[in-house]
């Protein structure tokens, strides 16, 4: 599994400009409030989910987004959703709870997880995610994030969580 240094090397090899800030471990969205103040860009929350048919989902949304997990399956076309186990998360994404990040898609070489991206993140000038560990935050431009996903062969499903609808022109 790829680690933080591997991720940074991947960015460099693919021309993705990035900036990483080291900080104390952050396990939940609300814990990092003071840290976020000094890091420009949109901050994120990330959910690793499994549906009732065994399909995996990685949801990345702006940190203040309300996600209705009871209704989300009707929007993204999945079966009912629940949180994926820590063991499955580590097997597929190579990260542990508290460190879930869109950057962990670098480890999902079989594309087992469908990536769902919040419309607000898709439109943000700069996005911030953990670089495989919750003791740092790495920011990339929207163009850089698009390059990252393209290099991995991933096209996200973009969802407007406020409207609970898939964005058709994505």
């Amino acid at each position: 599994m790829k680690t933080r240094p591997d991720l940074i090397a991947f960015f460099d090899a693919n021309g993705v400009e990035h900036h990483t800030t080291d900080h104390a471990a952050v396990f939940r969205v609300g814990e990092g409030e003071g840290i976020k103040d000094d890091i420009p860009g949109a901050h994120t929350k990330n959910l690793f989910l499994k549906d009732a048919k065994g399909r995996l989902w990685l949801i990345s949304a702006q940190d203040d987004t309300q996600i209705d997990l009871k209704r989300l399956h009707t929007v993204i076309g999945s079966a009912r959703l629940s949180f994926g186990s820590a063991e499955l998360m580590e097997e597929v994404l190579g990260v542990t709870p508290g460190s879930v990040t869109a950057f962990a898609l670098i480890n999902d070489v079989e594309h087992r997880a469908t990536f769902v991206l919040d419309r607000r993140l898709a439109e943000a000038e700069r996005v911030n995610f953990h670089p495989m560990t919750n003791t740092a935050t790495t920011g990339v431009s929207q163009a850089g994030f698009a390059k990252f996903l393209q290099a991995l062969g991933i096209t996200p499903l973009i969802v407007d969580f406020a409207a609970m609808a898939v964005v058709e022109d994505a």
Side-chain angles (χ1 to χ4, degrees):
M1 288 288 170
K2 291 182 175 41
T3 61
R4 176 181 169 177
D6 299 318
L7 175 68
I8 300 306
F10 184 87
F11 287 154
D12 292 342
N14 287 281
V16 176
E17 290 186 35
H18 55 88
H19 178 78
T20 299
T21 302
D22 290 298
H23 51 70
V26 176
F27 292 93
R28 289 177 198 64
V29 171
E31 291 178 11
E33 293 309 314
I35 294 166
K36 294 175 189 176
D37 295 342
D38 297 327
I39 303 172
H43 293 274
T44 59
K45 67 175 161 188
N46 301 273
L47 306 174
F48 179 68
L49 306 171
K50 182 177 179 180
D51 73 18
K53 293 183 178 177
R55 190 167 171 194
L56 304 177
W57 302 83
L58 177 61
I59 313 290
S60 291
Q62 192 158 318
D63 61 352
D64 61 353
T65 302
Q66 298 295 317
I67 300 174
D68 183 350
L69 289 179
K70 291 181 179 169
R71 285 188 45 222
L72 183 58
H73 72 280
T74 63
V75 175
I76 64 176
S78 72
R80 290 232 177 238
L81 295 159
S82 61
F83 287 96
S85 70
E87 295 79 19
L88 186 58
M89 179 190 309
E90 196 160 0
E91 174 190 328
V92 175
L93 298 178
V95 294
T96 57
S99 297
V100 182
T101 170
F103 293 151
L105 290 166
I106 195 172
N107 285 321
D108 185 15
V109 294
E110 296 175 10
H111 297 271
R112 289 173 61 188
T114 298
F115 183 48
V116 177
L117 183 63
D118 178 6
R119 175 193 57 80
R120 293 191 303 156
L121 288 183
E123 295 172 354
E125 187 175 314
R126 185 169 189 79
V127 293
N128 295 290
F129 296 96
H130 289 311
M132 317 301 279
T133 175
N134 65 356
T135 58
T137 297
T138 298
V140 296
S141 68
Q142 189 54 241
F145 189 53
K147 271 188 200 179
F148 169 76
L149 293 174
Q150 183 177 23
L152 296 176
I154 294 172
T155 301
L157 176 64
I158 299 176
V159 171
D160 181 336
F161 286 101
M164 283 301 280
V166 171
V167 177
E168 297 299 329
D169 61 355

